[in-house]
Amino acid sequence: MSDPFAADPFAETNPWEIGQPAAQAATDTSRPEAPMSDGNKVRVTLKAGKGFDAPWITIDGTSIEDALAQMQKGQPLMELLTRTAQVGSHFASLGEGGARPASAASPVAPPQFVNGQLQGGGVPAPAAPAPAPASGGLVCAHGPRNHVVKPNWEAMFCSAPQGTPEEQKCAPMWKDKKTGQFK
């Protein structure tokens, strides 16, 4: 049995060609390069950006020379690239709050679980109510107080004009959760 590692790894001969007839080992360089078939093309992809959302153009060639010739078309290729970038940018803006149909103009509340059931998700979100002036005689020196309701608290605030120093504003009246009265 011969030693498979006896051959010099730095020799100029290919170890797979040892013992093969010379005609099989040599490559035929006289044949011209055949055009590539449908299953074996050259495809050049030109992307307008790094992200997955960037528009791209693919140029398919039957050979490398064909792909290069298509890319050297000058003005028509530049017009195609410019137009693709413009249309891609416009199309992307449609999903980011750009020009939308009138039916999609109002914001939609994200779905939430309430008491074990899914609520919302297709109903427009209610607009946040502006603080309404107080009723029932709760007024301060500056006029009717502003009623503010938050998830964990409720209060009536002074309606002094914006920019009035804090020391000139009336103290807030906080709602007592036990009695329901503002104090």
Side-chain angles (χ1 to χ4, degrees), residues 37-117:
S37 67
D38 285 342
N40 192 15
K41 296 181 187 179
V42 173
R43 175 168 287 153
V44 178
T45 303
L46 306 171
K47 285 192 68 175
K50 295 179 183 180
F52 291 111
D53 57 343
W56 65 43
I57 296 173
T58 58
I59 297 175
D60 294 335
T62 56
S63 67
I64 294 172
E65 289 79 17
D66 181 38
L68 282 171
Q70 290 183 55
M71 290 179 60
Q72 293 172 346
K73 297 252 176 167
Q75 185 59 34
L77 179 62
M78 294 308 290
E79 188 174 329
L80 176 66
L81 296 173
T82 302
R83 196 74 183 122
T84 301
Q86 290 171 345
V87 171
S89 176
H90 174 71
F91 187 58
S93 75
L94 295 178
E96 297 173 355
R100 290 185 180 181
S103 63
S106 60
V108 176
Q112 298 176 352
F113 278 102
V114 177
N115 296 329
Q117 295 183 350

Coordinates of all heavy atoms in Angstrom, one line a residue, residues 37-117:
S37 N -27.1 29.8 -19.7 CA -28.5 29.4 -19.9 C -29.4 30.1 -18.9 O -28.9 30.8 -18.0 CB -28.6 27.9 -19.8 OG -28.3 27.5 -18.5
D38 N -30.7 29.8 -19.0 CA -31.6 30.4 -18.0 C -31.3 30.0 -16.6 O -31.5 30.8 -15.7 CB -33.1 29.9 -18.3 CG -33.6 30.7 -19.5 OD1 -33.1 31.7 -19.9 OD2 -34.6 30.2 -20.1
G39 N -30.8 28.8 -16.4 CA -30.4 28.4 -15.0 C -29.1 28.8 -14.6 O -28.7 28.6 -13.4
N40 N -28.3 29.5 -15.4 CA -27.0 29.9 -15.1 C -26.7 31.3 -15.6 O -26.1 31.4 -16.7 CB -26.0 28.8 -15.6 CG -24.6 29.1 -15.0 OD1 -24.4 29.8 -14.0 ND2 -23.6 28.5 -15.6
K41 N -27.2 32.3 -15.0 CA -27.1 33.7 -15.4 C -26.1 34.5 -14.5 O -25.7 34.0 -13.5 CB -28.4 34.4 -15.4 CG -29.5 33.8 -16.2 CD -30.7 34.7 -16.0 CE -31.9 34.1 -16.8 NZ -33.1 34.9 -16.5
V42 N -25.9 35.7 -15.0 CA -25.2 36.7 -14.2 C -26.2 37.7 -13.7 O -26.9 38.2 -14.5 CB -24.1 37.4 -15.0 CG1 -23.5 38.5 -14.1 CG2 -23.0 36.4 -15.4
R43 N -26.4 37.8 -12.4 CA -27.3 38.8 -11.9 C -26.6 39.9 -11.1 O -25.9 39.5 -10.2 CB -28.4 38.1 -11.0 CG -29.3 39.1 -10.4 CD -30.5 38.5 -9.8 NE -31.4 38.0 -10.8 CZ -32.2 37.0 -10.7 NH1 -32.3 36.3 -9.6 NH2 -33.0 36.7 -11.8
V44 N -26.8 41.1 -11.4 CA -26.2 42.2 -10.7 C -27.4 42.9 -10.0 O -28.4 43.3 -10.6 CB -25.5 43.2 -11.7 CG1 -25.0 44.4 -10.9 CG2 -24.4 42.6 -12.4
T45 N -27.3 43.1 -8.7 CA -28.3 43.7 -7.9 C -27.8 45.1 -7.4 O -26.7 45.2 -6.8 CB -28.7 42.9 -6.6 OG1 -29.1 41.6 -7.1 CG2 -29.8 43.5 -5.8
L46 N -28.5 46.1 -7.7 CA -28.2 47.5 -7.4 C -29.2 47.9 -6.3 O -30.4 48.0 -6.6 CB -28.2 48.4 -8.6 CG -27.4 48.0 -9.8 CD1 -27.7 48.9 -11.0 CD2 -25.9 48.0 -9.4
K47 N -28.7 48.2 -5.1 CA -29.6 48.6 -4.0 C -29.4 50.1 -3.7 O -28.3 50.6 -3.7 CB -29.3 47.8 -2.7 CG -29.8 46.4 -2.8 CD -29.8 45.7 -1.5 CE -30.8 46.3 -0.5 NZ -30.9 45.6 0.7
A48 N -30.5 50.8 -3.4 CA -30.5 52.2 -3.1 C -30.1 52.5 -1.6 O -30.0 53.6 -1.2 CB -31.8 52.8 -3.4
G49 N -29.9 51.5 -0.8 CA -29.6 51.7 0.6 C -29.2 50.4 1.2 O -29.1 49.3 0.6
K50 N -28.9 50.4 2.6 CA -28.4 49.3 3.3 C -29.5 48.4 3.8 O -29.4 47.2 3.9 CB -27.6 49.7 4.5 CG -26.3 50.4 4.2 CD -25.6 50.8 5.4 CE -24.3 51.6 5.1 NZ -23.6 52.0 6.3
G51 N -30.7 49.0 4.1 CA -31.8 48.2 4.8 C -32.6 47.4 3.8 O -32.5 47.5 2.6
F52 N -33.4 46.5 4.4 CA -34.3 45.7 3.6 C -35.4 46.5 2.9 O -35.9 46.0 1.9 CB -35.0 44.6 4.5 CG -34.0 43.6 5.0 CD1 -33.7 43.6 6.4 CD2 -33.4 42.7 4.2 CE1 -32.8 42.6 6.9 CE2 -32.5 41.7 4.7 CZ -32.2 41.7 6.0
D53 N -35.6 47.7 3.4 CA -36.7 48.5 2.8 C -36.2 49.3 1.6 O -37.0 50.0 1.0 CB -37.3 49.4 3.9 CG -36.3 50.3 4.5 OD1 -35.1 50.0 4.4 OD2 -36.7 51.3 5.2
A54 N -34.9 49.3 1.3 CA -34.4 50.1 0.2 C -34.8 49.5 -1.1 O -34.8 48.3 -1.3 CB -32.9 50.2 0.3
P55 N -35.2 50.3 -2.1 CA -35.6 49.7 -3.4 C -34.3 49.2 -4.1 O -33.2 49.6 -3.9 CB -36.2 50.9 -4.2 CG -35.6 52.1 -3.5 CD -35.4 51.7 -2.1
W56 N -34.5 48.2 -5.0 CA -33.4 47.7 -5.7 C -33.8 47.3 -7.1 O -34.9 47.2 -7.5 CB -32.8 46.5 -5.0 CG -33.6 45.2 -4.9 CD1 -34.4 44.7 -5.8 CD2 -33.7 44.4 -3.8 NE1 -35.0 43.5 -5.3 CE2 -34.6 43.3 -4.1 CE3 -33.1 44.4 -2.5 CZ2 -34.9 42.3 -3.2 CZ3 -33.4 43.4 -1.6 CH2 -34.3 42.4 -1.9
I57 N -32.8 47.2 -8.0 CA -32.9 46.8 -9.4 C -32.0 45.7 -9.6 O -30.9 45.7 -9.2 CB -32.5 48.0 -10.3 CG1 -33.5 49.2 -10.1 CG2 -32.5 47.6 -11.8 CD1 -33.1 50.4 -10.8
T58 N -32.5 44.7 -10.4 CA -31.6 43.6 -10.8 C -31.4 43.6 -12.3 O -32.4 43.9 -13.0 CB -32.1 42.2 -10.3 OG1 -33.4 42.0 -10.9 CG2 -32.2 42.1 -8.8
I59 N -30.2 43.4 -12.7 CA -29.9 43.4 -14.1 C -29.4 42.0 -14.4 O -28.4 41.5 -13.8 CB -28.7 44.4 -14.5 CG1 -29.3 45.8 -14.2 CG2 -28.3 44.2 -15.9 CD1 -28.2 46.9 -14.4
D60 N -30.1 41.3 -15.2 CA -29.8 39.9 -15.6 C -29.1 39.9 -16.9 O -29.6 40.4 -17.9 CB -31.1 39.0 -15.7 CG -31.8 38.9 -14.3 OD1 -31.1 39.0 -13.3 OD2 -33.0 38.6 -14.3
G61 N -27.9 39.2 -16.9 CA -27.2 39.0 -18.2 C -27.0 37.6 -18.5 O -27.0 36.7 -17.7
T62 N -26.9 37.3 -19.8 CA -26.6 36.0 -20.3 C -25.1 35.6 -20.1 O -24.8 34.4 -20.1 CB -27.0 35.8 -21.7 OG1 -26.3 36.7 -22.5 CG2 -28.5 36.0 -21.9
S63 N -24.3 36.6 -19.9 CA -22.9 36.4 -19.6 C -22.4 37.7 -18.8 O -23.1 38.7 -18.7 CB -22.1 36.3 -20.9 OG -22.1 37.5 -21.6
I64 N -21.2 37.6 -18.4 CA -20.6 38.8 -17.7 C -20.5 39.9 -18.6 O -20.9 41.1 -18.2 CB -19.2 38.4 -17.1 CG1 -19.4 37.3 -16.0 CG2 -18.5 39.6 -16.6 CD1 -18.1 36.8 -15.5
E65 N -20.1 39.7 -19.9 CA -20.0 40.8 -20.8 C -21.4 41.4 -21.1 O -21.5 42.6 -21.2 CB -19.4 40.3 -22.1 CG -17.9 39.9 -22.0 CD -17.7 38.6 -21.4 OE1 -18.6 37.7 -21.3 OE2 -16.5 38.3 -21.0
D66 N -22.4 40.6 -21.1 CA -23.8 41.1 -21.4 C -24.2 42.0 -20.2 O -24.8 43.1 -20.4 CB -24.8 39.9 -21.6 CG -26.2 40.4 -21.8 OD1 -26.3 41.4 -22.5 OD2 -27.1 39.8 -21.3
A67 N -24.0 41.5 -19.0 CA -24.3 42.3 -17.8 C -23.6 43.7 -17.8 O -24.2 44.7 -17.5 CB -24.0 41.5 -16.5
L68 N -22.3 43.6 -18.1 CA -21.5 44.9 -18.2 C -22.0 45.8 -19.3 O -22.1 47.0 -19.1 CB -20.0 44.6 -18.4 CG -19.2 44.1 -17.2 CD1 -17.9 43.6 -17.7 CD2 -19.1 45.2 -16.2
A69 N -22.4 45.3 -20.4 CA -22.9 46.1 -21.5 C -24.2 46.8 -21.1 O -24.5 47.9 -21.4 CB -23.2 45.2 -22.7
Q70 N -25.1 46.0 -20.3 CA -26.3 46.6 -19.9 C -26.1 47.7 -18.9 O -26.8 48.8 -18.8 CB -27.2 45.6 -19.2 CG -27.8 44.6 -20.2 CD -28.7 43.6 -19.5 OE1 -29.6 44.0 -18.9 NE2 -28.5 42.3 -19.7
M71 N -25.1 47.6 -18.0 CA -24.8 48.6 -17.0 C -24.1 49.8 -17.6 O -24.0 50.9 -17.0 CB -23.9 48.0 -15.9 CG -24.7 47.0 -15.1 SD -23.7 46.3 -13.8 CE -23.1 47.7 -12.8
Q72 N -23.6 49.7 -18.9 CA -22.9 50.9 -19.5 C -23.9 51.6 -20.4 O -23.4 52.4 -21.3 CB -21.7 50.4 -20.3 CG -20.6 49.8 -19.4 CD -19.5 49.1 -20.2 OE1 -19.6 48.8 -21.4 NE2 -18.4 48.9 -19.5
K73 N -25.2 51.5 -20.2 CA -26.2 52.2 -21.1 C -26.3 53.7 -20.8 O -27.1 54.3 -21.3 CB -27.5 51.5 -20.9 CG -27.5 50.1 -21.4 CD -28.2 49.9 -22.7 CE -28.0 48.4 -23.1 NZ -28.8 48.0 -24.1
G74 N -25.6 54.2 -19.8 CA -25.5 55.6 -19.5 C -26.8 56.2 -19.1 O -27.4 55.9 -18.0
Q75 N -27.4 57.2 -19.9 CA -28.6 57.9 -19.5 C -29.8 57.1 -19.2 O -30.5 57.3 -18.2 CB -28.9 59.0 -20.6 CG -30.0 59.9 -20.2 CD -29.7 60.7 -18.9 OE1 -28.6 61.0 -18.6 NE2 -30.8 61.0 -18.2
P76 N -30.1 56.1 -20.0 CA -31.3 55.3 -19.7 C -31.2 54.6 -18.4 O -32.1 54.5 -17.6 CB -31.4 54.3 -20.9 CG -30.7 54.9 -22.0 CD -29.6 55.7 -21.3
L77 N -30.0 54.1 -18.1 CA -29.8 53.4 -16.8 C -29.9 54.4 -15.6 O -30.5 54.1 -14.6 CB -28.4 52.7 -16.8 CG -28.1 51.9 -15.4 CD1 -29.1 50.8 -15.2 CD2 -26.7 51.4 -15.5
M78 N -29.3 55.6 -15.8 CA -29.4 56.6 -14.7 C -30.8 57.0 -14.5 O -31.2 57.2 -13.4 CB -28.5 57.8 -15.1 CG -27.0 57.5 -15.1 SD -26.4 56.6 -13.6 CE -26.5 58.0 -12.4
E79 N -31.6 57.1 -15.6 CA -33.0 57.5 -15.4 C -33.8 56.4 -14.7 O -34.6 56.7 -13.8 CB -33.6 57.7 -16.8 CG -35.0 58.3 -16.8 CD -35.5 58.7 -18.1 OE1 -34.7 59.0 -19.0 OE2 -36.7 58.6 -18.3
L80 N -33.5 55.1 -15.0 CA -34.1 54.0 -14.3 C -33.8 54.0 -12.8 O -34.7 53.9 -12.0 CB -33.7 52.7 -14.9 CG -34.2 51.4 -14.3 CD1 -35.7 51.3 -14.4 CD2 -33.6 50.2 -14.8
L81 N -32.5 54.3 -12.5 CA -32.1 54.3 -11.1 C -32.8 55.4 -10.3 O -33.3 55.2 -9.2 CB -30.6 54.4 -11.0 CG -29.7 53.3 -11.5 CD1 -28.3 53.7 -11.5 CD2 -30.0 52.0 -10.8
T82 N -32.8 56.6 -10.9 CA -33.4 57.8 -10.3 C -34.9 57.6 -10.1 O -35.4 57.8 -9.0 CB -33.2 59.0 -11.2 OG1 -31.8 59.2 -11.3 CG2 -33.8 60.3 -10.5
R83 N -35.6 57.1 -11.1 CA -37.0 56.9 -11.0 C -37.4 55.8 -10.0 O -38.3 55.9 -9.3 CB -37.5 56.5 -12.4 CG -39.0 56.6 -12.6 CD -39.4 58.1 -12.6 NE -40.8 58.2 -12.7 CZ -41.6 58.8 -11.8 NH1 -41.1 59.5 -10.9 NH2 -42.9 58.8 -11.9
T84 N -36.6 54.7 -9.9 CA -36.8 53.7 -9.0 C -36.7 54.2 -7.6 O -37.5 53.9 -6.7 CB -35.8 52.5 -9.2 OG1 -36.0 52.0 -10.5 CG2 -36.1 51.4 -8.2
A85 N -35.6 55.0 -7.3 CA -35.5 55.6 -6.0 C -36.6 56.5 -5.6 O -37.1 56.5 -4.5 CB -34.1 56.4 -5.9
Q86 N -37.1 57.3 -6.6 CA -38.3 58.2 -6.3 C -39.5 57.4 -6.0 O -40.2 57.7 -5.0 CB -38.5 59.1 -7.5 CG -37.4 60.2 -7.7 CD -37.6 60.9 -9.0 OE1 -38.3 60.5 -9.9 NE2 -36.9 62.0 -9.2
V87 N -39.8 56.5 -6.8 CA -41.0 55.7 -6.6 C -40.9 54.9 -5.3 O -41.9 54.8 -4.5 CB -41.3 54.8 -7.8 CG1 -42.4 53.8 -7.5 CG2 -41.6 55.6 -9.0
G88 N -39.8 54.3 -5.0 CA -39.5 53.5 -3.8 C -39.7 54.4 -2.6 O -40.3 54.0 -1.6
S89 N -39.2 55.6 -2.6 CA -39.4 56.6 -1.5 C -40.8 56.9 -1.3 O -41.3 57.0 -0.1 CB -38.5 57.8 -1.8 OG -38.7 58.8 -0.8
H90 N -41.5 57.2 -2.3 CA -43.0 57.5 -2.2 C -43.7 56.3 -1.7 O -44.6 56.5 -0.8 CB -43.5 58.0 -3.6 CG -45.0 58.2 -3.5 ND1 -45.6 59.2 -2.9 CD2 -46.0 57.4 -4.0 CE1 -46.9 59.1 -3.0 NE2 -47.2 58.1 -3.7
F91 N -43.5 55.2 -2.2 CA -44.2 54.0 -1.7 C -43.9 53.7 -0.2 O -44.8 53.4 0.5 CB -43.8 52.8 -2.6 CG -44.5 51.5 -2.3 CD1 -45.9 51.5 -2.4 CD2 -43.9 50.4 -1.9 CE1 -46.6 50.4 -2.2 CE2 -44.6 49.2 -1.6 CZ -46.0 49.2 -1.8
A92 N -42.7 53.9 0.2 CA -42.3 53.7 1.6 C -43.0 54.7 2.5 O -43.4 54.4 3.6 CB -40.8 53.8 1.8
S93 N -43.2 55.9 2.0 CA -43.9 57.0 2.8 C -45.4 56.7 3.0 O -45.9 57.1 4.0 CB -43.8 58.3 2.1 OG -44.6 58.4 1.0
L94 N -46.0 55.8 2.2 CA -47.4 55.5 2.4 C -47.5 54.7 3.6 O -48.6 54.7 4.3 CB -47.9 54.7 1.2 CG -47.9 55.4 -0.1 CD1 -48.4 54.5 -1.3 CD2 -48.8 56.7 0.0
G95 N -46.5 53.9 4.0 CA -46.6 53.1 5.2 C -46.1 53.9 6.5 O -46.2 53.3 7.6
E96 N -45.6 55.1 6.3 CA -45.1 55.8 7.5 C -45.9 57.0 7.8 O -45.4 58.0 8.3 CB -43.6 56.2 7.1 CG -42.7 55.1 6.9 CD -41.3 55.5 6.4 OE1 -41.1 56.7 6.2 OE2 -40.5 54.6 6.3
G97 N -47.1 57.1 7.4 CA -47.9 58.2 7.7 C -47.9 59.3 6.7 O -48.4 60.4 6.9
G98 N -47.5 59.0 5.5 CA -47.5 59.9 4.4 C -48.9 60.1 3.8 O -49.8 60.1 4.5
A99 N -49.0 60.1 2.5 CA -50.3 60.2 1.9 C -51.1 58.9 2.1 O -50.7 57.9 1.6 CB -50.1 60.4 0.4
R100 N -52.1 59.0 2.9 CA -52.9 57.8 3.2 C -54.4 58.1 2.7 O -54.8 59.2 2.6 CB -53.0 57.6 4.7 CG -51.7 57.2 5.4 CD -52.0 56.9 6.8 NE -50.8 56.5 7.5 CZ -50.8 56.2 8.7 NH1 -51.9 56.2 9.5 NH2 -49.7 55.7 9.3
P101 N -55.1 57.0 2.6 CA -56.5 57.2 2.3 C -57.2 57.8 3.4 O -56.8 57.7 4.6 CB -57.0 55.7 2.1 CG -55.8 54.9 1.9 CD -54.6 55.6 2.5
A102 N -58.3 58.5 3.2 CA -59.0 59.3 4.2 C -59.5 58.3 5.3 O -59.5 58.7 6.5 CB -60.2 60.0 3.6
S103 N -59.8 57.1 5.0 CA -60.3 56.1 6.0 C -59.2 55.8 7.0 O -59.5 55.3 8.1 CB -60.8 54.9 5.4 OG -59.7 54.2 4.7
A104 N -57.9 55.9 6.7 CA -56.8 55.6 7.6 C -56.2 56.8 8.3 O -55.2 56.7 8.9 CB -55.7 54.9 6.8
A105 N -56.9 57.9 8.2 CA -56.3 59.2 8.8 C -56.3 59.2 10.3 O -55.5 59.8 10.9 CB -57.1 60.4 8.2
S106 N -57.3 58.6 10.9 CA -57.4 58.6 12.4 C -56.6 57.5 13.0 O -56.5 56.4 12.4 CB -58.9 58.5 12.8 OG -59.4 57.3 12.4
P107 N -55.9 57.8 14.1 CA -55.1 56.8 14.7 C -55.9 55.6 15.3 O -57.0 55.8 15.7 CB -54.4 57.6 15.9 CG -55.3 58.7 16.1 CD -55.9 59.1 14.8
V108 N -55.3 54.5 15.2 CA -56.0 53.3 15.7 C -55.3 52.8 17.0 O -54.1 52.7 17.1 CB -55.9 52.1 14.7 CG1 -56.5 50.9 15.2 CG2 -56.6 52.6 13.4
A109 N -56.2 52.6 18.0 CA -55.6 52.2 19.3 C -55.1 50.7 19.2 O -55.7 49.9 18.5 CB -56.8 52.2 20.4
P110 N -54.0 50.4 19.9 CA -53.4 49.1 19.8 C -54.4 48.2 20.6 O -55.0 48.6 21.6 CB -52.1 49.2 20.5 CG -52.1 50.4 21.3 CD -53.1 51.3 20.6
P111 N -54.5 46.9 20.2 CA -55.3 46.0 21.0 C -54.8 45.8 22.4 O -53.6 45.8 22.7 CB -55.3 44.7 20.2 CG -54.2 44.8 19.3 CD -53.8 46.3 19.1
Q112 N -55.7 45.7 23.4 CA -55.4 45.5 24.8 C -56.2 44.4 25.4 O -57.4 44.2 24.9 CB -55.6 46.8 25.6 CG -54.7 47.9 25.1 CD -55.1 49.2 25.9 OE1 -56.0 49.2 26.7 NE2 -54.3 50.2 25.7
F113 N -55.7 43.7 26.4 CA -56.5 42.8 27.2 C -57.2 43.5 28.3 O -56.6 44.1 29.1 CB -55.6 41.6 27.7 CG -55.4 40.6 26.7 CD1 -54.2 40.5 26.0 CD2 -56.3 39.6 26.3 CE1 -53.9 39.6 25.1 CE2 -56.1 38.7 25.4 CZ -54.9 38.6 24.7
V114 N -58.5 43.3 28.4 CA -59.3 43.9 29.5 C -60.2 42.8 30.0 O -61.0 42.2 29.3 CB -60.2 45.1 29.0 CG1 -61.0 45.6 30.1 CG2 -59.3 46.2 28.4
N115 N -60.0 42.4 31.3 CA -60.8 41.4 31.9 C -60.8 40.1 31.1 O -61.8 39.4 30.9 CB -62.3 41.8 32.1 CG -62.4 42.9 33.1 OD1 -61.6 43.1 34.0 ND2 -63.4 43.8 32.9
G116 N -59.6 39.7 30.6 CA -59.4 38.5 29.8 C -59.9 38.5 28.4 O -59.9 37.5 27.7
Q117 N -60.3 39.7 27.9 CA -60.8 39.8 26.5 C -60.0 40.8 25.8 O -59.6 41.8 26.3 CB -62.3 40.1 26.5 CG -63.2 39.1 27.1 CD -64.6 39.5 27.0 OE1 -65.0 40.6 26.6 NE2 -65.5 38.5 27.3

